[in-house]
Amino acid sequence: MPMLFLSGADWAAALVFVPLLAALACFLVPRAAGWLGLSAAVLVLLATLGLVQSLLSEGPLRVMVGGWGAPLGIDLWADGLSAALLLMTALVGLGVSAFAASYFAEHPEQRRWFWPLWLLLWTALNGLYLSADLFNLYVMFEVLGLSAAALTALSGSATALNAAMRYLLVSLVGSIAYLLGVALLYHGYGTVDIGLLAERIGASAVTSAALLVMVAGLLLKTALFPFHFWLPPAHASAPAPVSALLSALVIKGSFYLLLRLWLDLFGGLAGPLPALLPELLGLLGAAAVLWGSAQALRQRRLKLLIAYSTVAQIGYLFLAFPLSSAAMDNGSALAQVAWQAALYLALAHGLAKAAMFLSAGSLLRFAGHDRIADLDRSVHRLPLTLTAFVLGGVSIMGLPPSGGFIGKWLLLEAAFSQGRWGLALVVLVGGVLAAGYVFKVVGYAFTPTKIAQEGEVVPRAMQWSALLLAFGAILLGFAAPWLWPLLEVGEPFAGAVATQNDLAVAELASVSGAVMAALGSGPTP
């Protein structure tokens, strides 16, 4: 029975209109922005759960807005891939909102602008995950970039303004490149609806040009190495709740769009470019893992360390491209395993990185700085905060029983099965480097400084928000048997492999079952 007797279309509409109306209300009534934003976050989570239930019981959802379908009207589309990212966004959004309510209590001017901009950004993310045509995706993409750039400048410092301007320029360049690709496809095939394009698209010069410019624009906005130059300054100079949103959510939007285009339009095309591009993306992903991790180890400030960690974690997502492409060429179900690994890592990274940035915000509030060498026994003074940071780090490292472990295990399974020893080595080395920079912070958190520091009181709401998100990243490691049925809705990865998906099901179930059995949580399935 549909949740509260509402249909999937009702829940999908709520995911767009609830944060949009709440953003308008927060702008008009800034004094009530805190509780309005928190109320909207709870409602969005409930709407997301309603949509998930609808998808599990009724299958994928297509809504013709206003009764006009493609190619004349606007369609909304939801399947397992979009639902999983919507759910992660709702959980992170609620955690960040709870943190921000206390964080901005002492900064009324920042609070005035944070809530409407954050809720507008949330509207754009939900709209992005639900859009079914390329131009609506562009509109949501543009709103997302403008909101994120404005949030980056929220503190008003010279560093933040400089980073925000760089972010804005990068966002605009990426959006223009994507829009150029949309125009090329519309000129060549007469539609921007993804479903209709999938039926009409073929290997041609127009398709290759569109693929090149769209991928270039999306790589720039996803901050894949070497296009990451804008990310560390933006994430490090923004207020902690904004940093969490930028790292956990915003970059997932551009990655989702790239993944959706590859799965639905470009991945099955013949020709040299679709064949070479996955290998190039995998090479850049591997470089991102190693470069970002090495830079994170060198940082002296906590937020910069976490920002460079994000550069590294983005790289893992792109390792799935060569693994899935090679498996598909061999007719192997491991292509689906590779995509599942990438999605699992994206979900785990969203929860873990939000927890780590929020923990950094609590430490910054407590000490008045984020110098790693001067954390001065913070673990004794903020045990909840350091626990959240460590648990987030466990998922980033890929240790069991976290969601990051499941994702990396599946990546390694796909790499070993195909003899891609170089990619497997990158995954393993990246985990070791991640352990290095996480334990670097932990070590200084236990070490007293020469001059004892007196800290400020950190509200419990800020500490618990980070801790619960970190627990979410760990519990994700147990969720594979329950998450898999959702990811099967609409078969979003069906285009990646023409064979049965029994191997993918078995891999997810066996890995998660082994984790639970090892911890005494139950028998292995």
Side-chain angles (χ1 to χ4, degrees):
M1 180 181 296
M3 186 176 179
L4 299 179
F5 306 102
L6 296 178
S7 68
D10 297 326
W11 294 122
L15 286 174
V16 176
F17 285 104
V18 167
L20 179 61
L21 294 175
L24 180 61
C26 290
F27 178 76
L28 295 175
V29 192
R31 291 186 178 181
W35 70 264
L36 284 172
L38 281 172
S39 301
V42 173
L43 291 176
V44 170
L45 178 58
L46 293 176
T48 306
L49 294 174
L51 178 62
V52 167
Q53 183 193 51
S54 175
L55 293 176
L56 289 173
S57 60
E58 302 174 10
L61 173 71
R62 180 175 288 272
V63 181
M64 295 184 293
V65 178
W68 292 87
L72 298 177
I74 297 174
D75 282 1
L76 300 181
W77 167 259
D79 60 5
L81 174 59
S82 54
L85 288 166
L86 283 167
L87 185 57
M88 185 271 287
T89 300
L91 291 172
V92 172
L94 180 58
V96 171
S97 297
F99 183 95
S102 298
Y103 182 88
F104 288 113
E106 299 180 1
H107 305 281
E109 188 60 28
Q110 294 183 25
R111 179 183 60 193
R112 172 186 177 90
W113 298 109
F114 170 79
W115 289 105
L117 288 170
W118 152 225
L119 292 168
L120 188 61
L121 184 148
W122 202 346
T123 302
L125 272 173
N126 288 351
L128 181 72
Y129 294 139
L130 292 171
S131 292
D133 73 72
L134 298 180
F135 187 75
N136 288 332
L137 284 166
Y138 164 74
V139 173
M140 295 297 104
F141 208 34
E142 195 70 4
V143 174
L144 178 66
L146 294 174
S147 303
L151 283 169
T152 303
L154 201 60
S155 68
S157 67
T159 303
L161 291 174
N162 183 54
M165 283 301 299
R166 184 181 300 180
Y167 192 168
L168 179 62
L169 291 174
V170 165
S171 179
L172 291 175
V173 170
S175 296
I176 290 171
Y178 171 81
L179 185 60
L180 177 58
V182 174
L184 289 171
L185 290 176
Y186 183 73
H187 174 76
Y189 302 103
T191 183
V192 292
D193 180 77
I194 293 177
L196 293 176
L197 266 175
E199 298 173 359
R200 302 177 185 179
I201 198 169
S204 67
V206 170
T207 301
S208 297
L211 174 60
L212 277 176
V213 294
M214 294 174 90
V215 168
L218 293 172
L219 292 183
L220 186 61
K221 297 193 73 162
T222 310
L224 179 65
F225 178 90
F227 307 109
H228 67 286
F229 57 90
W230 59 268
L231 186 149
H235 290 201
S237 61
V242 176
S243 301
L245 296 174
L246 297 177
S247 183
L249 302 182
V250 174
I251 59 174
K252 303 303 187 304
S254 52
F255 175 75
Y256 164 83
L257 183 47
L258 178 59
L259 180 59
R260 180 67 80 182
L261 292 176
W262 186 258
L263 292 173
D264 293 350
L265 297 180
F266 299 120
L269 296 177
L273 184 59
L276 293 175
L277 191 58
E279 296 299 325
L280 175 61
L281 293 178
L283 181 62
L284 294 179
V289 171
L290 300 177
W291 172 262
S293 299
Q295 291 300 308
L297 277 169
R298 298 179 62 246
Q299 300 309 307
R300 298 181 178 181
R301 293 188 176 272
L302 183 57
K303 291 186 70 178
L304 267 176
L305 180 149
I306 302 172
Y308 275 105
S309 170
T310 297
V311 173
Q313 301 305 308
I314 291 169
Y316 288 106
L317 307 182
F318 287 88
L319 299 182
F321 282 86
L323 292 174
S324 65
S325 179
M328 184 175 62
D329 292 340
N330 297 328
S332 170
L334 284 171
Q336 206 158 1
V337 173
W339 290 128
Q340 286 296 132
L343 182 58
Y344 231 96
L345 286 171
L347 299 177
H349 176 261
L351 294 166
K353 197 51 64 75
M356 294 175 78
F357 265 119
L358 295 185
S359 299
S362 294
L363 289 168
L364 187 60
R365 168 68 65 88
F366 171 77
H369 63 82
D370 67 341
R371 295 188 299 274
I372 297 172
D374 294 327
L375 289 177
D376 190 27
R377 296 171 298 170
S378 300
V379 68
H380 302 301
R381 306 178 184 187
L382 295 175
L384 295 179
T385 295
L386 266 297
T387 300
F389 184 88
V390 170
L391 290 178
V394 165
S395 186
I396 294 298
M397 287 183 270
L399 297 179
S402 66
F405 167 73
I406 299 292
K408 290 187 177 182
W409 178 285
L410 295 177
L411 268 184
L412 288 172
E413 175 68 21
F416 286 143
S417 299
Q418 299 176 41
R420 304 295 295 265
W421 311 114
L423 294 181
L425 183 62
V426 167
V427 174
L428 295 173
V429 172
V432 173
L433 293 174
Y437 59 71
V438 169
F439 287 121
K440 171 184 176 180
V441 176
V442 174
Y444 279 111
F446 276 94
T447 304
T449 56
K450 294 181 179 180
I451 301 177
Q453 302 179 38
E454 296 297 329
E456 299 288 336
V457 176
V458 179
R460 286 283 178 174
M462 292 171 57
Q463 300 185 58
W464 276 104
S465 299
L467 184 60
L468 291 176
L469 288 174
F471 275 129
I474 300 299
L475 294 176
L476 189 61
F478 300 102
W482 297 275
L483 187 60
W484 178 252
L486 176 62
L487 298 181
E488 283 188 319
V489 175
E491 299 182 339
F493 305 122
V497 60
T499 60
Q500 60 188 5
N501 58 20
D502 294 341
L503 178 60
V505 177
E507 285 298 331
L508 281 169
S510 64
V511 172
S512 184
V515 170
M516 288 189 285
L519 296 179
S521 300
T524 302

